[in-house]
Each structure stands twice: as C-alpha cells, then as structure tokens.
Amino acid sequence: MARGHHDIGGLPGAGAIEAADHPLSDWEILADAINQALGARGVKRTDEMRRAREEMDSAAYRDMNYYERWVASMEAILIEKNILTKDEIDQKLAEFESKWGEP
Amino acid sequence: MSDDHGHDHPKHELSYYAKRIYAMRDLLIEKGVISEKDIQCQIEYQEARTPANGARLVAKAWVDPAFKARFIADPKAACQEIGIDATAINEFVVLENTPQVRHMVVCTLCSCYPRPILGRPPDWYKSFNYRQRSVSDPRGVMREFGLELPDEVEVRVHDSTADIRYIVMPMRPAGTEGWSEDDLAKLVTRDSMIGVMDALPSLPE
C-alpha cells in the first residue's frame, strides 16, 4: 500500500527542527477551541478529523499551515455529517464581506 | 492576542481558511450545535493547560517514591491526586528515563499530544521535519536540542495516537538533593517531557 501524504514518519529529506514557536493568531485560537468544543459535545472524534486530513488533496495538505488543515478537515467532517453545507459557509462569508465592507 | 479573541470578526487580510472558521463559528452557534460559551470555555481550558502541570507531576515523583510508583502505574489517578484533570485523555502513559534509556515522543501522523496536561503542542512538534526525522534520526534531533547521547544509551521513540498520549519523566539532575518541589519543577521543561532533552541541570537565570 502506498503511503498517504500524512504518513511521513522516517521519510528522508527533512531539514533541521525550527525550535521557535509563533504566537497563535485569534483565528487559530478560535479554530482550536471550536475543534475541542465539537469534540466535547460529541459531534466529532479525533480520529475522524485525522481521516479528513488524510483524505484531503495531497498538495493542499502540504501547502496549508497547521490550523488551516484543521479548519479544512472540520469543514469536511461537518459537511459529511450534514451539520453544515458549503453553500451556507460561502453565504455567511459573503454576508460578512458585505457588512464589513471587505472583498 | 486581543482580550476578546473568539469574538472579533474576520479581517480581509486573513487567509481563505482563517475566514471560513469565523463563518463556521456563527453557523454552528445559530444552529445550536455548540454555544459561544462552549467556545469560551475551551479557550480558557487550553490557556490554563501549561507545561507547569507536567513539571509539578515530575517534581513530585522525584521527591516521593510512592507517588512516582502511582504516577507510572496509573497516571490519570496520580494527576487527579494533585488536582490536574486528565480525564480527557483516553490512555495516558508515563515513560521513565534512566541512565540507560531515553524516551522521545512524536506523532508522526499528525500532532497528538498530552494537551490536557501540557497545553497545545509547540510548532516544532507539529512540523513535518520533526514528524519525519524523530523516528529515523532521534539522536540527531536530540543533538539539535542540545542533548548529545553516548552510543551505549538506548533511545526509544514512541508514536502517539488519537487514543494514547505519552509524557516523559526526565531524570532528576545530580546535585539537587534536598531541593523543594517548587524549585525542582523549574528544572522540568516542556521539551524534557517530550523527551528531546534532559531536565535543566540548574535553575534558569
């Protein structure tokens, strides 16, 4: 079986460990908290989130930063469970943009 | 970080997915899937979780052999004894370092970590470089963190899962006999509980 894009333990070519930590942005703190809250409410499980990350497009997986992968996998799982739809999310974003005047 | 994080609105300079989480938040609250209070509680919960919790556990285990035995045999019960809530972890395993064996923890598939004890994992723990190299070159990784191990010391790398979380109990540094638990706890760094380095040999400046 070919390795999935997430299954990187032991792969060659990795560089030095960058030890510096970045302070989390507000949206990252929010994504983290929503993920935990959905877990606490029994809406989704850790292994479901991991499956969603494992099934996403491989190039996207490598290009996204950590919490972007979380948001993408939360969205996939919430849509899969018929809790949200992509259209609803798109529409909500369009509302924000018209209300706050940002493109 | 603003005081009202979680309540603000998306800014146009945010990335595609950063914006989407604000939209998802509003929809989840409108639909009653989660509440604003749930989100706020999780933010507060995570911010209260810091490596200081793990340091307290390790320092107590260093000075109290009976506690150490309980910490290794039933880590979640030992946490409860000193008021640390580890119930969110399914299976919690303590790995005791010795002069012969060092343990190192990774999550090669993603980022599983003992968050209820230590808080959110550091960026490097989640990085592709660490996930790739920890299992093939653990000694090289330790060397980058400042720990040079002789060949005769065995290194065991533990790969976390959604169900099992690990914490390393570093060795108590020499020359700390008679120290208080509070001072000992200052030697127990986050990175020493992930296992990429030993506890500090002396109090930080």
Side-chain angles (χ1 to χ4, degrees):
Chain A
M1 197 171 92
R3 275 184 190 245
H5 53 238
H6 62 289
D7 187 8
I8 61 175
L11 285 184
I17 312 293
E18 174 58 64
D21 232 5
H22 86 289
L24 293 182
S25 307
D26 287 350
W27 76 268
E28 293 175 304
I29 291 169
L30 181 64
D32 189 288
I34 292 175
N35 176 63
Q36 301 292 330
L38 288 169
R41 289 276 174 207
V43 178
K44 55 98 199 139
R45 294 168 50 88
T46 303
D47 38 12
E48 287 177 317
M49 291 287 287
R50 222 189 61 211
R51 174 173 59 78
R53 282 193 281 280
E54 291 167 8
E55 288 174 353
M56 68 177 56
D57 176 78
S58 293
Y61 181 87
R62 289 208 70 96
D63 288 347
M64 281 184 214
N65 70 31
Y66 181 73
Y67 280 106
E68 286 174 343
R69 289 197 292 270
W70 275 38
V71 175
S73 37
M74 260 190 279
E75 178 173 340
I77 291 293
L78 291 168
I79 291 171
E80 181 181 297
K81 289 178 182 279
N82 296 316
I83 293 169
L84 300 181
T85 67
K86 185 174 183 301
D87 283 351
E88 283 177 319
I89 301 169
D90 290 342
Q91 200 182 328
K92 183 61 81 178
L93 270 181
E95 276 173 38
F96 285 158
E97 281 160 8
S98 62
K99 206 186 299 181
W100 301 99
E102 300 294 355
Chain B
M1 188 187 307
S2 61
D3 289 335
D4 63 345
H5 48 245
H7 298 279
D8 50 352
H9 288 273
K11 301 172 187 73
H12 66 288
E13 69 270 22
L14 287 175
S15 74
Y16 174 81
Y17 283 104
K19 284 180 183 168
R20 291 185 87 71
I21 194 62
Y22 288 93
M24 287 160 63
R25 172 196 61 181
D26 283 13
L27 288 164
L28 289 168
I29 292 171
E30 282 165 25
K31 289 169 181 261
V33 179
I34 54 173
S35 67
E36 181 63 53
K37 188 159 178 284
D38 287 344
I39 296 173
Q40 207 51 46
C41 285
Q42 290 297 339
I43 291 173
E44 285 162 19
Y45 175 91
Q46 278 307 321
E47 290 184 354
R49 306 287 146 161
T50 72
N53 285 320
R56 273 174 63 213
L57 286 161
V58 171
K60 189 169 178 64
W62 281 348
V63 300
D64 180 344
F67 180 80
K68 177 178 158 182
R70 294 198 294 280
F71 184 39
I72 292 170
D74 189 349
K76 286 162 76 171
C79 287
Q80 192 177 12
E81 252 183 73
I82 63 167
I84 296 170
D85 175 15
T87 52
I89 300 181
N90 188 11
E91 188 176 346
F92 187 27
V93 176
V94 175
L95 306 164
E96 183 186 5
N97 275 352
T98 68
Q100 293 78 37
V101 179
R102 294 295 201 292
H103 298 278
M104 195 167 118
V105 180
V106 62
C107 178
T108 61
L109 298 179
C110 185
S111 59
C112 281
Y113 187 73
R115 290 169 61 116
I117 313 295
L118 303 181
R120 303 182 187 102
D123 286 341
W124 62 259
Y125 184 84
K126 306 181 288 191
S127 70
F128 289 147
N129 284 349
Y130 184 68
R131 288 166 55 193
Q132 287 178 233
R133 276 182 60 210
S134 54
V135 289
S136 55
D137 181 26
R139 289 169 196 271
V141 170
M142 288 171 169
R143 197 174 300 122
E144 281 176 33
F145 280 88
L147 175 60
E148 181 73 51
L149 285 182
D151 288 345
E152 59 271 24
V153 176
E154 182 186 339
V155 175
R156 294 185 194 162
V157 181
H158 302 261
D159 202 353
S160 311
T161 69
D163 297 317
I164 305 182
R165 308 299 163 97
Y166 301 97
I167 190 169
V168 174
M169 176 162 51
M171 287 184 295
R172 180 171 177 167
T176 57
E177 296 76 17
W179 283 34
S180 70
E181 271 181 54
D182 282 351
D183 277 346
L184 286 169
K186 292 174 190 151
L187 305 178
V188 186
T189 61
R190 175 194 68 201
D191 295 354
S192 73
M193 292 180 281
I194 302 173
V196 291
M197 59 183 289
D198 282 338
L200 300 175
S202 56
L203 287 175
E205 291 297 312

